[in-house]
Amino acid sequence: MRVDKFLWCVRYFKTRSLATNACKTGKVKIKGANVKPSREVFPQDKITIRKNQINYEIEILDVPTSRLGAKLVGLYINDITPKEAFEKMELLKYSKDYYRKKGVGRPTKKDRRDIDDWFEEKAEEKETKVEDKEQDLKE
């Protein structure tokens, strides 16, 4: 069976064309080598798939004849992805929370006013410090 068809059958990709594009762009490797979509797969092959910033590693147990239901996928592949890959993904999620959330877009008028108010407060603090120093020098 072709590698792109296999990945579609075991539900790693939603459509076969997505699986084909992943093979063409070098996101699918067998035994560490990039593969073409037409490459045949056999039992005991180890496939590495780069998807959603995670390197999934699977071992083929058997080759299905057609697309499988989600419950039957475990009969045909063995997922040997290291847990560190998923932990890295969690760390990426936490680091992104520091920045403005996706979809929030540009600052609103209220955000802009809050920013302006903050800058004005800082400027007033500097002015009061300068005035205090000037009074200290006069005394």
Side-chain angles (χ1 to χ4, degrees):
M1 179 181 278
R2 293 168 51 113
V3 69
D4 62 340
K5 188 174 181 181
F6 176 78
L7 293 173
W8 169 73
C9 285
V10 294
R11 297 182 172 268
Y12 264 88
F13 291 98
K14 191 172 184 177
T15 64
R16 190 164 165 195
S17 63
L18 289 175
T20 303
N21 288 337
C23 292
K24 287 180 181 177
T25 56
K27 294 179 182 169
V28 178
K29 299 180 181 193
I30 295 180
K31 298 177 185 172
N34 290 340
V35 294
K36 293 181 178 179
S38 61
R39 164 84 153 61
E40 293 290 320
V41 292
F42 303 101
Q44 306 306 317
D45 280 348
K46 292 185 180 177
I47 301 176
T48 304
I49 306 154
R50 176 90 173 153
K51 184 178 173 187
N52 298 332
Q53 296 182 350
I54 297 177
N55 289 330
Y56 294 96
E57 295 178 19
I58 60 172
E59 182 180 7
I60 300 173
L61 303 175
D62 197 12
V63 179
T65 56
S66 63
R67 189 166 165 91
L68 303 170
K71 292 181 181 178
L72 300 176
V73 170
L75 300 173
Y76 293 92
I77 63 169
N78 183 19
D79 190 1
I80 53 175
T81 306
K83 293 187 179 187
E84 293 86 29
F86 296 109
E87 291 171 359
K88 286 180 185 176
M89 190 64 181
E90 288 295 320
L91 289 174
L92 281 174
K93 285 182 183 176
Y94 288 127
S95 68
K96 288 180 181 177
D97 286 342
Y98 174 74
Y99 298 103
R100 197 168 171 91
K101 293 188 179 184
K102 185 176 181 180
V104 175
R106 293 172 49 182
T108 61
K109 284 185 179 181
K110 183 181 183 314
D111 293 338
R112 184 66 191 170
R113 288 182 191 125
D114 291 342
I115 292 169
D116 289 341
D117 290 344
W118 185 79
F119 279 119
E120 287 175 7
E121 289 174 6
K122 292 294 181 186
E124 289 174 2
E125 288 176 9
K126 285 183 181 178
E127 288 177 7
T128 56
K129 287 181 182 178
V130 170
E131 290 173 358
D132 290 342
K133 286 182 181 178
E134 288 175 356
Q135 287 179 357
D136 290 340
L137 290 174
K138 288 180 181 178
E139 295 175 355

